[in-house]
């Protein structure tokens, strides 16, 4: 495996970051998870735009500009030889001292890994998944806006620990007011009388690249799409539900907190959007070779 690290390609064993890097000491940094489909990088500009947005929000000066970073990602993908894969792009605050202040971190680090990922068993995509509402609430926008894809994922880790104590595959997260935000590492959608609905990001959700793609594909297919405030009751009485994410792609949700969603089978609009997403992903992207 050839890993991009601050301008060099190195082996996994040589891909080393300082223990004084504030990405490690404080979770001070940002990341992206990106897919390669059929020899092309999916939605690369959208991932980069989100990364630079997060960098701006946390005042992190990414050492490469958009085009330079894009070239580094394409080259990492090319060297991996993967026609289908999952990439992780990380920008850390860099090496500082033991104090928190980023002013002591003059040089942010960038690393890029090209590998593979599979986060849910295959049967979930055919028969749907079971999720549970977790008691850990999504971070407050006013504390750490979930739109920043930061290296601080303890909120999501705590939620995952709750799911691990159940037989569910994912967790549904509410905000401090009790409204639905998203799943732990995926965006949440429901279908209500033919309308495809997802919470606005202002409820406390990441502006997912897959979320945006699926909303576009749904509109093109003629389904009304709405960003709407969602309560747990709305979820329980929905006709269909599904989640979206780069790693998860689109996965049907058929049980929430022991309630069957619709008839308990993946719904027709979900199944249609899954097919449309896979067809679209196979033929759109930044070519690697
Ligand atoms: N919400 C959150 C909180 C995420 O971290 C998504 C939604 C989906 O966004 P995209 O842009 O990928 O459609 C994410 C991103 C994992 C894993 O192990 C998944 C993500 C991040 C880190 C790890 O499944 N998903």
């Amino acid at each position: 495996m050839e890993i991009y690290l601050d301008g060099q390609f190195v082996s996994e064993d040589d891909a080393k970051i300082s223990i004084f890097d504030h990405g490690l000491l404080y979770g001070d940094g940002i990341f992206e998870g990106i897919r390669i489909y059929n020899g092309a990088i999916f939605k690369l500009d959208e991932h980069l735009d989100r990364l630079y947005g997060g960098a701006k929000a946390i005042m992190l000066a990414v050492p490469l500009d958009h085009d330079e970073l894009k070239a580094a990602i394409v080259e990492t993908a090319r060297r991996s030889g993967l026609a289908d894969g999952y990439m992780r792009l990380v920008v850390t605050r860099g090496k500082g001292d033991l104090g928190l202040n980023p002013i002591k971190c003059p040089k942010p680090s960038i690393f890029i890994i090209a590998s593979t990922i599979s986060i849910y068993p295959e049967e979930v995509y055919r028969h749907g998944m079971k999720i549970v509402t977790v008691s850990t609430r999504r971070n407050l926008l006013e504390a750490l806006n979930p739109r920043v894809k930061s290296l601080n994922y303890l909120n999501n880790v705590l939620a995952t620990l709750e799911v691990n104590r159940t037989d569910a595959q994912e967790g549904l997260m509410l905000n401090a007011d009790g409204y639905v935000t998203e799943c732990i590492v995926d965006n949440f959608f429901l279908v209500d009388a033919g309308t495809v609905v997802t919470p606005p990001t202002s409820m406390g959700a990441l502006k997912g690249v897959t979320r945006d793609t699926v909303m576009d594909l749904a509109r093109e297919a003629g389904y009304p799409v709405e960003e709407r405030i969602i309560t747990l009751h709305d979820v329980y009485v929905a006709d269909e539900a599904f989640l979206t994410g780069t790693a998860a792609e689109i996965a049907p949700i058929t049980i929430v907190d022991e309630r069957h969603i619709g008839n308990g089978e993946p719904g027709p609009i979900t199944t249609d959007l899954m097919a449309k997403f896979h067809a679209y992903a196979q033929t759109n992207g930044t070519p690697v070779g």
Side-chain angles (χ1 to χ4, degrees):
M1 190 188 283
E2 291 188 73
I3 291 160
Y4 174 96
L5 175 60
D6 294 329
Q8 314 280 332
F9 283 93
V10 295
S11 69
E12 185 180 337
D13 283 346
D14 290 330
K16 293 190 176 132
I17 286 275
S18 167
I19 56 163
F20 289 94
D21 192 305
H22 282 204
L24 176 62
L25 289 176
Y26 298 113
D28 186 356
I30 47 178
F31 76 103
E32 285 293 321
I34 307 170
R35 280 260 184 194
I36 310 169
Y37 287 111
N38 196 20
I41 306 177
F42 189 61
K43 299 280 176 189
L44 181 50
D45 288 316
E46 287 79 355
H47 282 289
L48 287 175
D49 287 347
R50 184 170 68 192
L51 181 94
Y52 283 102
K56 190 169 193 180
I58 69 165
M59 299 177 84
L60 173 60
V62 181
L64 301 181
D65 70 20
H66 186 110
D67 289 347
E68 293 166 335
L69 189 49
K70 191 169 174 171
I73 294 167
V74 170
E75 180 59 13
T76 309
R78 196 190 63 75
R79 288 181 188 230
S80 76
L82 292 165
D84 293 280
Y86 177 81
M87 304 187 76
R88 180 59 54 89
L89 161 65
V90 179
V91 186
T92 73
R93 184 72 71 178
K95 193 175 156 185
D97 64 16
L98 290 178
L100 173 94
N101 199 335
I103 215 160
K104 303 278 187 60
C105 308
K107 192 177 162 288
S109 268
I110 301 179
F111 60 88
I112 309 166
I113 308 166
S115 184
T116 55
I117 200 169
S118 145
I119 58 170
Y120 305 119
E122 185 46 44
E123 70 203 45
V124 152
Y125 293 88
R126 267 176 283 124
H127 301 299
M129 73 165 82
K130 180 172 182 167
I131 71 169
V132 286
T133 306
V134 295
S135 66
T136 305
R137 296 297 172 101
R138 181 52 91 214
N139 284 328
L140 281 178
L141 266 71
E142 300 85 347
L144 173 56
N145 195 316
R147 281 189 67 177
V148 178
K149 205 163 159 55
S150 85
L151 294 180
N152 243 294
Y153 256 43
L154 262 185
N155 180 242
N156 316 59
V157 170
L158 289 172
T160 301
L161 291 173
E162 288 188 58
V163 174
N164 288 350
R165 295 168 57 200
T166 73
D167 65 348
Q169 282 103 5
E170 246 295 332
L172 185 64
M173 298 192 75
L174 310 178
N175 64 20
D177 295 324
Y179 296 114
V180 172
T181 63
E182 57 181 336
C183 290
I184 300 174
V185 281
D186 303 296
N187 287 109
F188 178 81
F189 283 81
L190 58 75
V191 178
D192 170 26
T195 299
V196 175
V197 184
T198 194
T201 56
S202 56
M203 285 294 105
L206 186 73
K207 195 173 180 314
V209 169
T210 321
R211 171 187 185 272
D212 287 350
T213 305
V214 167
M215 287 165 79
D216 287 345
L217 291 172
R219 281 191 200 98
E220 269 170 41
Y223 302 116
V225 176
E226 268 182 39
E227 291 183 68
R228 196 194 283 172
I229 290 176
I230 297 177
T231 65
L232 267 184
H233 185 80
D234 298 324
V235 176
Y236 298 152
V237 301
D239 301 318
E240 304 180 28
F242 60 91
L243 57 74
T244 66
T246 296
E249 304 175 294
I250 308 189
I253 296 167
T254 46
I255 303 179
V256 181
D257 299 338
E258 306 294 327
R259 280 86 160 174
H260 284 283
I261 302 304
N263 63 7
E265 295 287 319
I269 294 179
T270 303
T271 311
D272 186 29
L273 290 175
M274 286 171 73
K276 288 191 161 67
F277 177 80
H278 289 295
Y280 179 83
Q282 287 302 311
T283 49
N284 285 273
T286 305
V288 168

